[in-house]
Amino acid sequence: MATFTIQTPLLVFPRVHSRTGTIERTCVFHNYRKGPLELRIGYDFPEHSWVQFYGSDEEDGPLVGEVLTIRPGENRIVLSINTDSFNFPTGRFRGRIAFDEVAGEAAGGTATGAAGGAAGGAAEGATNGSTRQSIELNFEAVEELGSFLGFAAIDLGTSSCAMSVFDIERDAVSAVPWSPRIGKRGETTPSAVFIRSYPKFVQGAPGGCSAGDLAMEEYRSGQPRAPHSLQVGTKRLIRNARVLVVDERGHGGLVDPLQILHFLGKLVIQKGQSEAGVRSVIRKVSVTFPPTWDYATTTRWRELFHGLGFADEDLDLSLDEASAAGLFYIYNCIREPDSLGKLVQDLLETREEIEIDGARGERFTFNLQCFDFGGGTIDIALIEGQLELLPHTLRLRLSLAGSDSCNYGGDQVTLAIFRMLKRRLALALCDPKRAHTEHSGEDQEIAAAVEPTVAAELGGFGLQTQQGFLLPDSSGQRWETGRVSWYDDGDTGEEVLRQNWGYVSAHITRPALESDIEDAIDATFPTRFLPSVDEVVRAQARKNFDWLWERAESLKIKLFDEVSHKVGHRSFQSFEVLDGFRRGISLEGVPHAKAQEALTWADEPVAREILSVTAGEVYRATSEPLEDALARCRRLAGSRRIDRVILSGQSCRMPIVSWMFSRPSSGGGLGVPPSKIEFDEHNAKTAVSKGACLLHVMRETLVGIEVDIDDFKSRLLDDLYYRELDGSPHVLFKAGTIDDFGVCEDVPETRAFPRYLSIFCGPERRLAGQFHFCDGGERLPPRPTIGARVTPDGDREELPTRAEMLARRRDDRDSYLHWSARLLKWTERERIAWMEETATAGSVERPIYRYYLTRNHRLYAVRDRGADDRALFALKTDFTTQFELPPDEDPFSGIH
């Protein structure tokens, strides 16, 4: 009788690519003995350094030695295959890993289960009291990845991630970027990380965590996991100095949020590289971000991708998310004849006749408002364009007029629904009969919707003093939520809700009720799993939160799909029509034990009516931040006429968004007809990454179309400056378009210039970073040589100076675009060295400081003391000054 079995004895991999990271498989071992069992690991192939096991009891990394210890019952053992190993097989591979019970152990206990054919993995034999089981590995093909010949872009969004690629050979026919399948649902994967083992996670060891779809599955499967072991909306963490995480066993601590984001980015890159149609190592990548991220945050974002193996010169951070989505729309519009004709018809009012090189044609101008409603932010951009139709050529020139964003997204819409459902569920729990009676329309005396008077004394509510498993914040900082946490096993807070029933019902859509009422609601149906960083995580509250959040998210999608199907195509008349659409939830699987017992009608259809929200309520609960986003759009537009509105992001599926835009200007909208409000549902999420790809390929992919997108790049949203002795700002770069060939020359009055020069941004005087002029700095690199260009007339054109480039930008656009495209392929430091060649020389008595701001949001300074004494300094950012997102604005902070 076997003392143990292996559930998965055969692992087959049709195709494996080297240099694509680690492949993990979970193997289930069943130990039928009453005590622990030691298994000796043996390999029938000589070089096995690329194979590693992680046992269920291991805390400090992979197994040491060749013995695996498994506990009684079921054990999940992670098999990690390192395809980056120097010794990884080539061609194809078949091998067996055997597990033998250590001699003498078999007699130490008795098997408690059957010999286990049902569990899989038959015994191969027994020798001297030991039983052997094995795992067979079969790699049908092992292939090497070459370098990707093209461009890639990554959108690490708040709720989900996407990647887009364009191979300059393979995709030349379609001339359209495409998105590899990186998740189980297709082109996107959740921005989620599940911590399996905290010690392995902080060491960066395989088996420490999972990301994407697998993270969601592992958290929700099997035994209940420790709260906070699942990190969702991970992009929000970028501004935090430290983040508190735990693993599924409850061990945890404070970590750098880049450690969490690293595994998510690694998953996206590896999945994209392994996808059919790519199967190459991606060396260069464009990365998008919200337009209002400041210098320090974008630097933090860059550091993340440095950790993923990308050098500075291989990263492009020149395009924000809303601008990228707008670029994708324009590209599709001009490459399709029907769409181009439709756009020209819309622009007839701007038509003017032109003549270029003897060819007569027409010029049209347009303004596009891009509105990217994602999971964590609403990003907006205003794009200005000129379209010139000539006999044999179409010329397109695009520029970014402005961009903005606000910290509100689809997750906050879900949170609004979550709050309404929680309040209605708490009311139903405190008085099930009254909830049913009110819904059925029977006579019932309803309390007036007055401001609450809480009759219960706080001392009457029990505060649990649990011992938690989380490490407290050593700083002692607390989240000031202004709320008291009421918890026990019973019905705390129910009397408060009964006395204030009318108030809660009448203000169901408010973001926050009176704090005492909110406490009573949470005491009745607890979902606050982390009221402050000093308190323990409440496991039951986290279960309730996860259950209700999942239903709120599903309800939101179904509710607005129904609205879109029935009335979404109509012109806006009134938001009152939304009150006719209602959706509810059932109590199936609710983890709150009292819910099923107290609500006798829980299994009846009426439950979905009582525990429901209307589309009108969702609008009223979210209208304030949405109106703020619309106000930002109006400020960007100014006196310009908006010709088209481009919607992207999953949350733009809500017809509320297009209706708000189509309202007349007097009603707060932009007065844009519904026919000119575009939403590409199939590319709602991937439009951002595809647009970022197009920034590199538009000039090369459109036959017969000349594209000028040199002015279509990042903008500086706030002034960059340092402070004079009197406190006044000395502005280095003003807000606006970033000029790749721009420079700010500064000659301080005295030699006593600060050795640590602090640079600030914005009216709030946020610290962007410091120049450490006390250090020696870097030497300027030699600029690469560029061969002289032979013009069509046979003349040789040498590399221009910076002054000549600026003159050509003014007088000879074609020559400027030619040389700027070549110069922008250099690294930032090489371009600075080129511009320094003809710069004004300083002296020892009076050094000159020159500052360079690049489209990748990097700020450099050159200190010139003359006599070839020039040193280059990069702005150093102190991330300890980063501010954390207020818990009230984070749906997953644990206080909702």
Side-chain angles (χ1 to χ4, degrees):
M1 181 175 292
T3 55
F4 75 99
T5 56
I6 303 175
Q7 184 172 326
T8 311
L10 176 63
L11 297 177
V12 179
F13 304 84
R15 179 182 283 108
V16 178
H17 293 96
S18 300
R19 296 185 297 153
T20 55
T22 58
I23 303 173
E24 293 184 356
R25 292 292 185 271
T26 301
C27 305
V28 178
F29 285 63
H30 292 270
N31 175 10
Y32 299 112
R33 293 183 48 200
K34 294 182 179 179
L37 185 63
E38 290 188 343
L39 305 176
R40 190 172 304 280
I41 306 174
Y43 303 89
D44 70 353
F45 44 97
E47 181 51 64
H48 57 268
S49 61
W50 46 272
V51 179
Q52 186 63 65
F53 285 93
Y54 293 83
S56 55
D57 285 330
E58 293 296 317
E59 298 294 346
D60 299 320
L63 295 176
V64 179
E66 301 297 333
V67 175
L68 170 67
T69 301
I70 59 174
R71 298 169 298 184
E74 181 180 293
N75 294 259
R76 292 189 306 157
I77 307 299
V78 176
L79 170 64
S80 177
I81 300 170
N82 181 15
T83 66
D84 295 331
S85 172
F86 176 79
N87 297 304
F88 191 69
T90 59
R92 59 182 305 176
F93 172 83
R94 290 185 179 178
R96 177 176 297 177
I97 306 173
F99 300 86
D100 291 290
E101 185 177 350
V102 175
E105 292 294 326
T110 59
T112 60
E124 295 183 353
T127 304
N128 298 327
S130 66
T131 302
R132 167 171 290 191
Q133 306 286 332
S134 64
I135 295 175
E136 292 193 21
L137 298 179
N138 188 355
F139 301 160
E140 297 291 344
V142 180
E143 300 177 358
E144 289 286 334
L145 293 182
S147 293
F148 184 67
L149 300 177
F151 302 91
I154 294 177
D155 174 19
L156 287 186
T158 306
S159 295
S160 59
C161 305
M163 170 188 273
S164 294
V165 296
F166 185 94
D167 189 297
I168 58 177
E169 295 179 353
R170 187 174 304 166
D171 301 322
V173 176
S174 65
V176 177
W178 60 281
S179 295
R181 183 184 179 91
I182 62 172
K184 290 196 172 183
R185 298 180 181 179
E187 300 171 335
T188 63
T189 192
S191 298
V193 175
F194 172 64
I195 314 300
R196 296 172 179 163
S197 167
Y198 178 76
K200 295 176 188 175
F201 170 76
V202 295
Q203 295 170 8
C209 68
S210 58
D213 293 288
L214 182 59
M216 303 297 292
E217 292 176 1
E218 290 190 345
Y219 176 74
R220 292 169 177 168
S221 65
Q223 297 296 322
R225 311 299 183 194
H228 249 47
S229 59
L230 180 69
Q231 296 289 329
V232 292
T234 50
K235 187 177 180 179
R236 291 188 180 92
L237 306 177
I238 193 70
R239 287 182 163 179
N240 291 21
R242 306 287 283 175
V243 176
L244 188 62
V245 300
V246 298
D247 60 21
E248 59 181 335
R249 299 182 185 89
H251 305 140
L254 296 166
V255 300
D256 187 328
L258 293 191
Q259 290 181 261
I260 302 173
L261 286 160
H262 174 88
F263 289 99
L264 181 64
K266 184 178 180 181
L267 170 76
V268 172
I269 294 168
Q270 290 182 353
K271 289 283 188 180
Q273 291 180 160
S274 301
E275 175 72 1
V278 181
R279 288 182 182 160
S280 307
V281 178
I282 294 173
R283 302 295 186 188
K284 297 184 177 183
V285 66
S286 295
V287 183
T288 58
F289 53 91
T292 50
W293 272 10
D294 58 18
Y295 184 92
T297 310
T298 53
T299 303
R300 187 78 156 148
W301 203 232
R302 184 182 295 107
E303 182 184 343
L304 168 65
F305 284 88
H306 285 169
L308 292 169
F310 295 95
D312 249 346
E313 57 269 23
D314 297 331
L315 282 174
D316 183 356
L317 280 80
S318 64
L319 200 61
D320 64 79
E321 293 169 359
S323 302
L327 191 61
F328 177 68
Y329 167 78
I330 295 171
Y331 180 80
N332 283 337
C333 192
I334 63 176
R335 63 185 295 272
E336 295 290 343
D338 292 341
S339 298
L340 179 59
K342 181 181 176 182
L343 178 62
V344 170
Q345 289 295 318
D346 289 346
L347 303 176
L348 287 179
E349 294 181 23
T350 68
R351 176 182 176 275
E352 59 178 313
E353 293 185 358
I354 59 173
E355 183 176 346
I356 300 177
D357 298 330
R360 292 183 177 274
E362 300 172 319
R363 175 184 291 152
F364 304 89
T365 59
F366 57 89
N367 296 295
L368 300 181
Q369 180 74 71
C370 305
F371 191 85
D372 180 22
F373 195 174
T377 59
I378 296 177
D379 304 319
I380 57 180
L382 182 64
I383 299 175
E384 295 178 339
Q386 278 189 354
L387 189 64
E388 297 176 354
L389 301 181
L390 299 168
H392 303 289
T393 307
L394 185 152
R395 290 185 173 181
L396 177 68
R397 182 173 180 178
L398 301 175
S399 61
L400 182 60
S403 53
D404 201 354
S405 69
C406 54
N407 288 321
Y408 190 84
D411 286 342
Q412 278 85 355
V413 177
T414 304
L415 180 61
I417 298 174
F418 174 95
R419 289 188 180 116
M420 288 187 282
L421 290 174
K422 177 180 176 180
R423 291 164 185 171
R424 289 201 164 113
L425 182 53
L427 288 176
L429 285 171
C430 77
D431 198 334
K433 183 177 180 181
R434 182 175 183 176
H436 189 282
T437 301
E438 282 191 4
H439 178 75
S440 63
E442 299 177 15
D443 293 335
Q444 174 78 24
E445 182 180 351
I446 306 298
V450 296
E451 294 300 309
T453 54
V454 182
E457 296 292 335
L458 294 183
F461 297 93
L463 286 173
Q464 283 190 335
T465 56
Q466 309 176 31
Q467 292 298 320
F469 40 73
L470 294 185
L471 300 178
D473 186 352
S474 58
S475 68
Q477 176 187 1
R478 292 183 61 86
W479 290 345
E480 299 298 335
T481 62
R483 299 172 186 169
V484 179
S485 300
W486 297 341
Y487 281 90
D488 65 16
D489 297 330
D491 54 0
T492 56
E494 292 185 3
E495 185 58 34
V496 175
L497 292 182
R498 292 190 190 99
Q499 294 184 23
N500 297 279
W501 185 291
Y503 167 79
V504 177
S505 298
H507 301 100
I508 200 77
T509 62
R510 280 190 180 179
L513 304 179
E514 294 291 332
S515 60
D516 293 340
I517 301 298
E518 292 282 18
D519 289 339
I521 291 171
D522 194 69
T524 306
F525 187 79
T527 61
R528 294 183 201 160
F529 56 88
L530 190 60
S532 83
V533 294
D534 288 345
E535 298 187 51
V536 298
V537 172
R538 297 178 170 88
Q540 182 59 47
R542 180 62 193 252
K543 294 176 189 176
N544 292 345
F545 177 90
D546 290 338
W547 176 86
L548 189 57
W549 182 270
E550 186 178 354
R551 277 143 188 81
E553 181 72 23
S554 176
L555 185 151
K556 178 183 72 173
I557 295 172
K558 293 177 181 178
L559 178 63
F560 284 105
D561 279 350
E562 182 182 359
V563 176
S564 298
H565 177 70
K566 293 185 177 179
V567 299
H569 61 283
R570 300 181 189 174
S571 298
F572 171 76
Q573 294 180 349
S574 171
F575 286 110
E576 294 178 359
V577 68
L578 295 173
D579 288 317
F581 295 88
R582 178 180 291 275
R583 278 271 177 175
I585 62 172
S586 72
L587 290 176
E588 181 180 0
V590 60
H592 193 49
K594 183 180 177 182
Q596 289 285 357
E597 300 174 3
L599 305 180
T600 56
W601 38 262
D603 296 328
E604 301 176 11
V606 72
R608 289 185 179 271
E609 295 291 327
I610 298 175
L611 308 177
S612 64
V613 298
T614 68
E617 289 173 331
V618 178
Y619 164 70
R620 288 187 286 276
T622 61
S623 60
E624 183 175 343
L626 290 180
E627 292 291 357
D628 174 61
L630 263 293
R632 293 171 186 261
C633 290
R634 291 195 299 272
R635 285 196 296 271
L636 273 184
S639 59
R640 300 180 183 91
R641 186 191 73 171
I642 300 300
D643 298 291
R644 292 284 183 94
V645 172
I646 313 304
L647 304 179
S648 68
Q650 301 282 16
S651 297
C652 279
R653 298 178 187 275
M654 301 189 302
I656 290 174
V657 178
S658 59
W659 287 353
M660 294 180 77
F661 273 105
S662 64
R663 289 177 304 179
S665 302
S666 58
L670 294 181
V672 179
S675 60
K676 296 183 181 181
I677 300 176
E678 305 280 349
F679 176 58
D680 185 351
E681 185 174 353
H682 298 292
N683 293 289
K685 173 59 183 175
T686 58
V688 171
S689 54
K690 289 178 179 177
C693 251
L694 288 173
L695 187 65
H696 297 277
V697 302
M698 277 190 80
R699 292 192 181 101
E700 290 82 9
T701 56
L702 292 173
V703 179
I705 302 179
E706 297 179 7
V707 181
D708 180 357
I709 51 177
D710 189 66
D711 294 331
F712 195 87
K713 54 192 176 185
S714 290
R715 294 176 61 85
L716 185 64
L717 297 182
D718 294 308
D719 293 349
L720 284 172
Y721 60 90
Y722 64 81
R723 304 199 34 210
E724 301 279 14
L725 288 176
D726 60 0
S728 61
H730 183 101
V731 177
L732 300 176
F733 295 95
K734 293 190 69 65
T737 302
I738 296 174
D739 184 357
D740 290 290
F741 304 124
V743 60
C744 173
E745 193 167 272
D746 192 7
V747 185
E749 289 296 329
T750 67
R751 295 178 59 187
F753 199 53
R755 292 183 297 172
Y756 296 96
L757 180 64
S758 298
I759 305 297
F760 301 90
C761 59
E764 299 87 1
R765 296 181 179 177
R766 297 191 304 272
L767 180 65
Q770 286 185 328
F771 285 115
H772 290 188
F773 291 135
C774 60
D775 299 337
E778 309 174 35
R779 289 182 61 86
L780 286 170
R783 64 168 178 81
T785 57
I786 290 185
R789 175 194 181 212
V790 179
T791 67
D793 298 330
D795 299 328
R796 292 178 63 83
E797 186 179 41
E798 300 293 340
L799 171 64
T801 64
R802 172 181 172 273
E804 291 171 337
M805 283 293 294
L806 298 179
R808 294 184 190 200
R809 180 163 62 188
R810 182 184 65 249
D811 304 326
D812 187 353
R813 191 75 184 178
D814 291 339
S815 176
Y816 169 77
L817 291 176
H818 166 79
W819 283 107
S820 64
R822 301 183 71 177
L823 289 167
L824 289 175
K825 292 179 181 178
W826 292 2
T827 66
E828 294 170 337
R829 286 170 168 80
E830 289 167 345
R831 285 202 304 277
I832 293 173
W834 163 70
M835 288 187 276
E836 279 289 318
E837 283 190 348
T838 55
T840 307
S843 64
V844 175
E845 293 77 16
R846 191 127 183 223
I848 294 179
Y849 292 82
R850 283 181 290 273
Y851 301 89
Y852 297 88
L853 179 65
T854 71
R855 68 167 60 191
N856 268 346
H857 289 270
R858 296 296 299 271
L859 184 60
Y860 297 91
V862 172
R863 182 179 60 201
D864 184 353
R865 290 174 170 169
D868 294 328
D869 183 7
R870 298 186 185 183
L872 177 69
F873 299 86
L875 190 71
K876 295 184 178 181
T877 304
D878 180 9
F879 295 118
T880 61
T881 63
Q882 293 293 292
F883 62 91
E884 296 187 5
L885 185 70
D888 282 329
E889 296 180 16
D890 183 356
F892 306 103
S893 61
I895 69 169
H896 300 291

